[in-house]
Amino acid sequence: FSIAYTIIYILDANLKIVPIGVIGELYISGSGVSKGYINNPILTAERFVSTENSTCYKTGDLARWNAEGNIEYLGRADEQIKIRGYRIEPKEIEFLLESISSIEQAFVMAQGTDENKQLYAYIKGSGEISTTELKEILSTVLPNYMIPSHFISIDAFPYTTNGKIDHKALLNNETKPIEPYVAPSNSIEEKLVGIWAGILDLEENEISVESNFITLGGHSLNVIQMVNTINKEFGVQVKLGDIFNGKTIRQLSEVIEMKTWLETENDQNSKRKEIVL
């Protein structure tokens, strides 16, 4: 693509041109591009790539070609987030969220430790749309690991003096989850909330009993950890299938309650047989 003797390339990590719709890094070549930075060979080697015909400047911007032949800017390469081994472009998620008519603005960031890092989507003007609906919309175009675990409604975004969204101020702002919080109603649900909070590295008041373990950031490894913890805590034999069938704390509580009752009945029946014998 050429504009006034300037050529734009969108390349992958191997400096190969990416297909239409695929995200790559934006490079600029042409008569207006210099050969490097003055007296800075290290930065020059990092940012300027020599090809057979010219020198290309590596902008650090992420972009892609759309079907109309236009370039869509998707943020900076250094703004990528790595979660469970996957590199994620927050701008791509924000772009999809902002394409929903009821959403004015969206901002996606990661929170949590490396093992339990999760995506949070801060949304302005979400209207009546629910978390479940948002996840269903995103799941039609995004893989599961790119779907935020949390959707937070916000009245206005805080900005730094240079016009960027202030991450720290955003974390300190009073925000409210789009999905209503439902508190535990019995001791089993209270214990499950504590177990989930410990495994997912969340505060207990962030976990509704209607929350889904997977969409809160759970994955195969900590599902196994949860099964072991539940079996030890409640003295039952919960299996992986029970976790996926009882996806929320409320559903899982019912599974545990039923298994506890069945095991009690089995014990009593065994004792009756012993007495008869």
Side-chain angles (χ1 to χ4, degrees):
F1 182 76
S2 177
I3 302 177
Y5 307 107
T6 298
I7 303 172
I8 303 295
Y9 299 99
I10 299 179
L11 308 177
D12 63 16
N14 297 315
L15 301 181
K16 303 295 184 182
I17 295 175
V18 299
I20 292 174
V22 175
I23 297 173
E25 192 164 348
L26 193 145
Y27 288 74
I28 300 175
S29 179
S31 58
V33 175
S34 71
K35 294 183 178 180
Y37 292 97
I38 297 176
N39 300 325
N40 197 333
I42 295 176
L43 189 57
T44 296
E46 179 184 332
R47 286 295 182 182
F48 289 84
V49 179
S50 296
T51 64
E52 293 181 1
N53 301 318
S54 62
T55 298
C56 291
Y57 174 65
K58 180 180 180 180
T59 66
D61 293 324
L62 296 172
R64 65 183 170 193
W65 295 104
N66 64 21
E68 289 74 35
N70 297 317
I71 295 174
E72 294 178 356
Y73 172 73
L74 297 169
R76 298 284 299 168
D78 53 15
E79 292 175 350
Q80 286 183 329
I81 298 170
K82 191 173 183 180
I83 293 182
R84 301 199 299 274
Y86 297 101
R87 290 196 177 277
I88 293 171
E89 317 291 350
K91 288 291 182 184
E92 185 172 5
I93 305 170
E94 293 166 13
F95 176 79
L96 290 169
L97 286 170
E98 290 171 357
S99 68
I100 299 171
S101 59
S102 60
I103 294 177
E104 296 177 27
Q105 187 179 2
F107 178 72
V108 176
M109 65 186 294
Q111 296 181 39
T113 59
D114 289 339
E115 292 183 357
N116 290 311
K117 190 177 289 183
Q118 299 174 23
L119 291 175
Y120 282 67
Y122 292 85
I123 293 173
K124 178 182 176 183
S126 59
E128 298 299 322
I129 194 165
S130 68
T131 295
T132 301
E133 290 172 313
L134 287 171
K135 289 179 179 178
E136 286 177 354
I137 293 170
L138 294 180
S139 66
T140 61
V141 289
L142 293 177
N144 183 63
Y145 60 84
M146 288 186 69
I147 298 175
S149 301
H150 307 270
F151 292 84
I152 308 295
S153 177
I154 189 167
D155 296 326
F157 283 98
Y159 288 90
T160 62
T161 53
N162 61 3
K164 294 185 177 181
I165 290 178
D166 190 329
H167 294 206
K168 292 182 180 179
L170 187 61
L171 291 174
N172 294 329
N173 260 8
E174 185 175 345
T175 58
K176 52 184 181 298
I178 292 176
E179 201 73 16
Y181 170 79
V182 181
S185 61
N186 57 51
S187 60
I188 295 178
E189 291 179 356
E190 288 177 357
K191 286 183 180 179
L192 286 173
V193 168
I195 291 171
W196 284 26
I199 293 173
L200 297 173
D201 195 23
L202 297 172
E203 297 295 329
E204 291 189 11
N205 59 11
E206 294 182 82
I207 302 174
S208 166
V209 295
E210 299 294 345
S211 298
N212 183 304
F213 186 77
I214 301 300
T215 55
L216 279 178
H219 50 80
S220 56
L221 293 179
N222 51 28
V223 165
I224 294 171
Q225 181 185 357
M226 180 173 65
V227 168
N228 294 334
T229 304
I230 287 174
N231 290 343
K232 182 178 179 180
E233 181 71 26
F234 293 97
V236 295
Q237 290 301 311
V238 169
K239 299 178 181 178
L240 285 175
D242 297 318
I243 301 298
F244 291 109
N245 290 329
K247 295 179 180 179
T248 69
I249 283 180
R250 180 140 292 168
Q251 292 169 326
L252 190 54
S253 172
E254 294 171 358
V255 171
I256 293 171
E257 192 173 358
M258 178 60 69
K259 283 184 175 290
T260 302
W261 181 83
L262 287 173
E263 291 184 14
T264 301
E265 282 292 301
N266 290 335
D267 287 343
Q268 291 178 349
N269 289 335
S270 297
K271 290 178 180 177
R272 291 191 191 100
K273 289 179 180 179
E274 289 175 4
I275 293 173
V276 171
L277 292 174

